[in-house]
Amino acid sequence: DAGVIQSPRHEVTEMGQEVTLRCKPISGHDYLFWYRQTMMRGLELLIYFNNNVPIDDSGMPEDRFSAKMPNASFSTLKIQPSEPRDSAVYFCASSFYGGASMGGYTFGSGTRLTVV
Amino acid sequence: DQQVKQNSPSLSVQEGRISILNCDYTNSMFDYFLWYKKYPAEGPTFLISISSIKDKNEDGRFTVFLNKSAKHLSLHIVPSQPGDSAVYFCAASGRSGGSYIPTFGRGTSLIVHP
């Protein structure tokens, strides 16, 4: 298995533009998570899905952020419009059964977003 | 409010010595704890975990200690190697809504000098 695949690896965009981050989870995993990493807040959970259904989006910072999971093999995180304070590394992770036990999370390599 | 706190943003250690990374938590409902390791330009990877029914778990050079009364856990790396240089994230979870979704700390950057 190729692991969790995220694209793009790097994204530089101008303030006000729409940004779409993509994630392909590991086949068979039924949970998908979007995290954001910043120096100030560490790894923050933004939203997670179970069987393609959003379960908890309380970590999404603002209405500018939205996430979808149209099928078991694909998810997107969209920021519209983007702002400089959105600059961070965004990680996608997937797991079985919520996966925290036995360290069952597998993270992608992340997307480094820079909004100028 | 941070429920999982890693108060040392960085730690520098000489090769061969012990590295001790600390983590404190505030939520008494947490009953499972994990450490993840992250190299630059990569995602975090699972390192070691411990259940609240234990106070120690060991895996090779890595040992995690849990002090429930103090709501404190620590990761010991003995002996430290330059390849251990990475950011270490502490995470804690408790069963909520039928699943365990961990809360992560801010991370501690470990540098092991040759």
Side-chain angles (χ1 to χ4, degrees):
Chain A
D1 198 320
V4 176
I5 300 173
Q6 290 186 246
S7 64
R9 288 299 306 272
H10 302 274
E11 177 80 39
V12 180
T13 191
E14 291 186 348
M15 182 174 62
Q17 295 297 306
E18 177 180 297
V19 176
T20 300
L21 312 181
R22 297 173 176 80
C23 175
K24 177 180 168 54
I26 290 176
S27 177
H29 280 187
D30 57 348
Y31 280 80
L32 183 140
F33 307 84
W34 282 100
Y35 284 88
R36 177 170 69 174
Q37 183 194 5
T38 61
M39 291 294 291
M40 288 299 296
R41 302 175 71 89
L43 271 173
E44 294 178 272
L45 177 65
L46 300 178
I47 185 172
Y48 76 92
F49 296 82
N50 177 216
N51 292 323
N52 313 339
V53 177
I55 302 300
D56 185 354
D57 65 353
S58 60
M60 297 285 260
E62 298 173 35
D63 291 344
R64 299 184 296 106
F65 286 69
S66 63
K68 294 181 180 179
M69 192 166 184
N71 56 62
S73 60
F74 184 65
S75 177
T76 59
L77 177 68
K78 186 177 293 186
I79 308 172
Q80 166 63 20
S82 58
E83 296 182 4
R85 60 193 167 121
D86 302 330
S87 298
V89 181
Y90 291 80
F91 288 102
C92 176
S94 69
S95 73
F96 289 116
Y97 308 122
S101 61
M102 306 303 290
Y105 276 37
T106 302
F107 283 83
S109 297
T111 295
R112 179 173 293 278
L113 174 65
T114 303
V115 184
V116 298
Chain B
D1 185 32
Q2 286 256 313
Q3 295 190 67
V4 178
K5 300 176 184 178
Q6 294 179 257
N7 291 321
S8 298
S10 64
L11 176 67
S12 182
V13 172
Q14 203 69 29
E15 181 179 7
R17 300 289 190 107
I18 183 171
S19 295
I20 300 176
L21 294 91
N22 293 304
C23 178
D24 297 291
Y25 61 96
T26 58
N27 190 339
S28 58
M29 298 302 291
F30 287 146
D31 59 4
Y32 195 80
F33 306 89
L34 311 95
W35 286 92
Y36 276 77
K37 177 179 181 179
K38 182 188 176 305
Y39 291 118
E42 296 182 12
T45 56
F46 171 72
L47 183 59
I48 192 169
S49 63
I50 188 167
S51 165
S52 60
I53 62 173
K54 294 185 174 182
D55 55 17
K56 175 183 174 181
N57 188 26
E58 190 172 352
D59 183 2
R61 298 185 297 112
F62 302 89
T63 303
V64 57
F65 295 91
L66 175 62
N67 182 334
K68 290 186 290 294
S69 61
K71 293 191 178 69
H72 176 84
L73 63 155
S74 60
L75 174 68
H76 292 213
I77 307 173
V78 183
S80 301
Q81 299 174 354
D84 297 328
S85 298
V87 176
Y88 290 79
F89 289 98
C90 172
S93 69
R95 192 166 185 87
S96 171
S99 62
Y100 289 82
I101 307 299
T103 299
F104 285 83
R106 293 179 182 176
T108 296
S109 177
L110 173 66
I111 299 173
V112 180
H113 297 282

